[in-house]
Amino acid sequence: MPRLRTASRYCAFLALFLAPLPTADAFGPTPNPVQQSAESRLMGEFARFATLTDGTVGIAVRDLSTGETLAYNGDTLFPMASTYKVAVAAKIFSLLDAGSLSLDEKLTRLGHPLPVRTLLEMSLTQSDNEATDALVARTGGPQAVNDWVRSIGVRNLRVDSNTRDLLARAKVAGSGFGDESAMEAGLSAAQRDARDMPNLGFAMDPRDTATPRAMDDLLVAIRTGKALKPQSTAMLLSIMERCKTGKDRLRAMLPPGTRIAHKTGTLNGIGNDVGIITLPDGRLFAITVFVMKDYKGHQMRDRIMAEAARAAYDYFLFAPDRHTA
């Protein structure tokens, strides 16, 4: 009897040994080598752009059709600066969707009543701080904006302040810095850079920060209709397409006529630009580029954003096939 059991075990072992090995599909699809090579090149480019600054760069790009995401320092927290105004505007549109606000409702900016639609335009296209803070107050304050961001499933992006309080925390003594519209107006490059010294304590403060991936999450939630009703989605993105700041950032190296809905952010040693870019065939990708703790000046930060956008554009345009081998 023991000899029979031993023989049975041997036969079972032999059957397992001789059975054909599972195919690659049993462990999931094999990545396309061409796609792997393209991904590696893009990530290498992102890493190269990061060496252009003595600060820290974060980049995240995402194909809205497939969800494919590539990121460099994608889970690192960066100060959002004025890119947080996208969340403020989206919260305002959510109130419109709920029927508790009208675009013609007037709010006070510096003592003057202006319609909500005008304040949205000023906030997103000119990065007007006072217009933004009037909108923040109408939402119920920073915590209301933050709660709405959480409600649509976005994590690792937090809104803690209105613009006035954010600037007070960010200011470097003696820098004379202001908001991004002031930083871009009436100063030579040398004058701007002399006043553009990083506040390292502010850069490490977790308040009013986002990871690049989280900002992409917000942009994608808006563009795909998961955050707002279709009409509000279209209106918000239309305003973002009229953004007047950051002409040397994400849009700078894109082919003429490329559609981009975006929002910039600028503080001492900080340069940001985030948005949705449309490819010639209609496909879309989200892109977030954050730069912080940079001493080399705004022109280098702008170049990093422009280079990253063009590299991502070419990657998604010329490697459209995401199928596996």
Side-chain angles (χ1 to χ4, degrees), residues 70-313:
L70 291 96
Y72 180 89
N73 286 333
D75 298 314
T76 300
L77 289 173
F78 290 79
M80 288 186 287
S82 286
T83 64
Y84 98 100
K85 295 171 183 177
V86 175
V88 174
K91 170 60 178 175
I92 286 288
F93 275 108
S94 76
L95 296 177
L96 176 68
D97 289 346
S100 58
L101 175 145
S102 163
L103 292 177
D104 294 321
E105 178 182 331
K106 291 188 176 180
L107 307 176
T108 300
R109 175 193 177 275
L110 297 177
H112 300 285
L114 292 172
V116 167
R117 67 174 73 248
T118 301
L119 295 170
L120 285 166
E121 190 83 18
M122 295 172 70
S123 174
L124 293 176
T125 68
Q126 302 171 38
S127 207
D128 186 287
N129 293 335
E130 289 76 19
T132 302
D133 285 354
L135 296 171
V136 171
R138 180 61 179 83
T139 67
Q143 187 59 52
V145 179
N146 195 63
D147 290 345
W148 179 81
V149 168
R150 293 287 183 277
S151 76
I152 63 170
V154 175
R155 301 292 182 266
N156 299 317
L157 185 159
R158 52 183 283 185
V159 177
D160 298 275
S161 313
N162 63 12
T163 319
R164 180 193 60 204
D165 293 339
L166 187 153
L167 291 175
R169 287 193 294 109
K171 187 173 181 179
V172 175
S175 69
F177 107 116
D179 66 12
E180 66 184 87
S181 57
M183 291 282 282
E184 291 187 355
L187 294 175
S188 69
Q191 287 173 324
R192 280 188 58 181
D193 289 342
R195 299 167 61 176
D196 191 10
M197 293 296 102
N199 180 335
L200 298 182
F202 175 79
M204 300 308 293
D205 190 327
R207 290 174 291 178
D208 299 298
T209 59
T211 67
R213 288 182 191 272
M215 182 58 76
D216 274 6
D217 289 342
L218 175 62
L219 294 168
V220 171
I222 292 170
R223 182 58 183 81
T224 58
K226 295 178 180 177
L228 302 168
K229 291 182 178 178
Q231 184 175 3
S232 292
T233 297
M235 290 178 65
L236 173 53
L237 292 170
S238 177
I239 298 173
M240 291 175 66
E241 286 183 359
R242 296 192 291 274
C243 181
K244 294 180 173 65
T245 58
K247 67 182 184 301
D248 295 323
R249 297 188 183 181
L250 291 182
R251 72 173 83 163
M253 294 184 182
L254 297 176
T258 298
R259 289 185 64 183
I260 174 172
H262 70 118
K263 180 70 193 80
T264 57
T266 306
L267 287 172
N268 286 70
I270 292 168
N272 301 334
D273 205 356
V274 308
I276 302 286
I277 295 173
T278 303
L279 296 168
D281 59 7
R283 287 179 296 128
L284 305 165
F285 71 93
I287 179 168
T288 293
V289 185
F290 290 151
V291 185
M292 67 174 173
K293 298 186 287 186
D294 169 78
Y295 287 89
K296 292 195 173 181
H298 76 281
Q299 289 181 326
M300 186 58 71
R301 296 194 291 270
D302 289 354
R303 178 185 168 188
I304 291 168
M305 290 179 255
E307 294 267 17
R310 184 55 196 247
Y313 179 95

Side-chain angles (χ1 to χ4, degrees), residues 23-44:
T23 65
D25 287 340
F27 299 105
T30 303
N32 185 319
V34 175
Q35 181 184 343
Q36 282 188 316
S37 177
E39 290 176 2
S40 296
R41 285 197 301 272
L42 182 61
M43 292 302 297

